[in-house]
Amino acid sequence: MESYTNQFRKGAFEILFVAVLIFFSSFPSEALGQRIIERSHILNPLENPAVDLEEDEEKWFSHVGGWGAFGNYSFARDSDHLWYQELGAYFEIFRRGNESSFAITSQIEFIANGDNDINFSPHAIIWEEGLLYTSYRGGFYLQFGYYHRCKHDIDNLESGEERASVFGSAMGRVIVPVQFSQRNDAVFSLQYDYYTITWERRIPEEFADLEPMWDELHSSFLLNGSYRSYFSDDNYFGVSGYGMSILANDGLRLNAKIGLTVGTSRGPGDVEVGIHMEHFADSGIPVRPGSVTLAGLGIRINSTGSVR
């Protein structure tokens, strides 16, 4: 059984590796894509080491977890981005053994620019709430859920502009952990979203029909990867990233990110400091949609195991 599991994980990793190559070589660079908060994270409540149940043991309200991040776009930015803050949380409502979990989630991404005296002006905020079911299948995990998302401007009407959006999706995800050695591991995930709610408003109305239009979304694929190499028992170097393709009325779209971190695992949490580069062909903030490449540095704290 152990040999079969190892062979499955090796085969799954090879498939995902090929998928990464295909993913990043198949779409044009001018494609466009929308912004969701958990794009940079792989959330899996069943991987939290603080909860370990016997087979078929049931438990209500077993644990909570999440992440927090804060950083500055130091190296590349536009007039809409200077600082960012993220807060994400999940609450596991019910668990059976270590094989199935049902949780609720809530995330927020706060974006500030430098248009005031203290160089920190609230500019945009994105909310998410979701229901998430996770099932362990022997070597990999399956997840299903529904996410409601919305993006709102902060004080932008003072400049005569506003861009707000609301969209929700039914999602499915496969998560594959890979253990290369005692000091090297990785987690990969592939997520599919089918959008059931799509709405966007722009003020002034003369910009309402400029593409891309988020109210024309149909579905999306999100591919994530997170690799860690431990140089001591608790400390590691990390590489992570994502690519996201979207099907809309006006064709395929793409966002992508890569990050390098140094981290340490301390009890229930991981603390990471790193640099990252992210490309949005449409950041979703200005009423005149446009591409932006952002690069900066930040700090992030994750629940150990359940957030990568």
Side-chain angles (χ1 to χ4, degrees):
M1 180 62 69
E2 182 66 22
S3 177
Y4 174 82
T5 301
N6 290 336
Q7 291 177 1
F8 174 83
R9 291 185 176 182
K10 181 179 179 181
F13 171 72
E14 293 173 348
I15 292 172
L16 282 171
F17 180 75
V18 173
V20 171
L21 296 180
I22 295 173
F23 186 91
F24 284 104
S25 62
S26 298
F27 302 109
S29 61
E30 66 269 21
L32 304 168
Q34 102 280 18
R35 182 179 195 143
I36 60 178
I37 300 174
E38 78 278 11
R39 63 192 182 274
S40 301
H41 310 281
I42 303 175
L43 172 60
N44 185 359
L46 288 177
E47 283 279 24
N48 192 319
V51 183
D52 186 14
L53 303 185
E54 299 293 332
E55 185 177 356
D56 293 329
E57 180 183 357
E58 297 180 351
K59 187 171 184 179
W60 290 87
F61 312 125
S62 59
H63 74 287
V64 298
W67 73 86
F70 181 78
N72 173 265
Y73 297 107
S74 306
F75 313 119
R77 59 177 179 265
D78 61 2
S79 60
D80 298 310
H81 298 79
L82 183 59
W83 301 93
Y84 70 89
Q85 178 181 335
E86 295 180 14
L87 290 174
Y90 71 88
F91 178 30
E92 189 174 71
I93 297 176
F94 178 77
R95 174 187 286 226
R96 180 189 295 274
N98 295 319
E99 288 75 40
S100 62
S101 163
F102 180 72
I104 58 174
T105 71
S106 180
Q107 292 85 240
I108 182 174
E109 181 176 1
F110 171 89
I111 301 162
N113 62 19
D115 293 338
N116 64 11
D117 294 339
I118 62 172
N119 217 31
F120 192 98
S121 174
H123 193 46
I125 191 168
I126 304 171
W127 295 87
E128 292 180 351
E129 298 85 26
L131 302 173
L132 184 65
Y133 173 77
T134 307
S135 176
Y136 180 64
R137 297 289 177 163
F140 68 99
Y141 299 85
L142 289 179
Q143 292 185 327
F144 302 96
Y146 187 86
Y147 278 80
H148 176 81
R149 307 180 177 100
C150 57
K151 177 264 175 185
H152 301 279
D153 291 337
I154 304 175
D155 298 334
N156 286 8
L157 277 178
E158 292 183 358
S159 60
E161 295 184 354
E162 182 184 38
R163 185 176 181 185
S165 62
V166 178
F167 53 106
S169 64
M171 61 82 79
R173 179 191 293 140
V174 58
I175 301 175
V176 181
V178 181
Q179 189 72 44
F180 296 105
S181 67
Q182 186 176 359
R183 291 186 174 273
N184 298 275
D185 66 69
V187 180
F188 299 92
S189 75
L190 179 62
Q191 175 179 327
Y192 173 75
D193 284 80
Y194 177 77
Y195 293 94
T196 61
I197 300 172
T198 56
W199 176 88
E200 184 175 33
R201 181 184 65 196
R202 299 178 192 174
I203 298 174
E205 292 185 0
E206 63 190 84
F207 301 108
D209 295 328
L210 294 180
E211 293 183 347
M213 300 171 62
W214 288 11
D215 55 6
E216 296 181 350
L217 297 174
H218 295 310
S219 58
S220 65
F221 286 92
L222 177 65
L223 182 63
N224 288 78
S226 173
Y227 172 80
R228 289 180 180 179
S229 178
Y230 286 82
F231 55 87
S232 68
D233 291 341
D234 300 318
N235 305 306
Y236 57 87
F237 296 110
V239 181
S240 62
Y242 79 84
M244 185 177 185
S245 66
I246 298 165
L247 178 63
N249 287 351
D250 56 347
L252 289 171
R253 312 177 176 192
L254 177 65
N255 289 337
K257 179 180 181 179
I258 187 169
L260 304 175
T261 59
V262 177
T264 181
S265 295
R266 298 296 179 187
D270 302 331
V271 181
E272 299 179 343
V273 178
I275 59 175
H276 66 270
M277 177 175 290
E278 184 167 18
H279 178 75
F280 295 105
D282 175 20
S283 68
I285 297 178
V287 294
R288 304 166 187 82
S291 64
V292 61
T293 298
L294 307 169
L297 52 88
I299 182 171
R300 192 172 84 171
I301 301 175
N302 304 324
S303 292
T304 297
S306 57
V307 180
R308 286 288 294 260

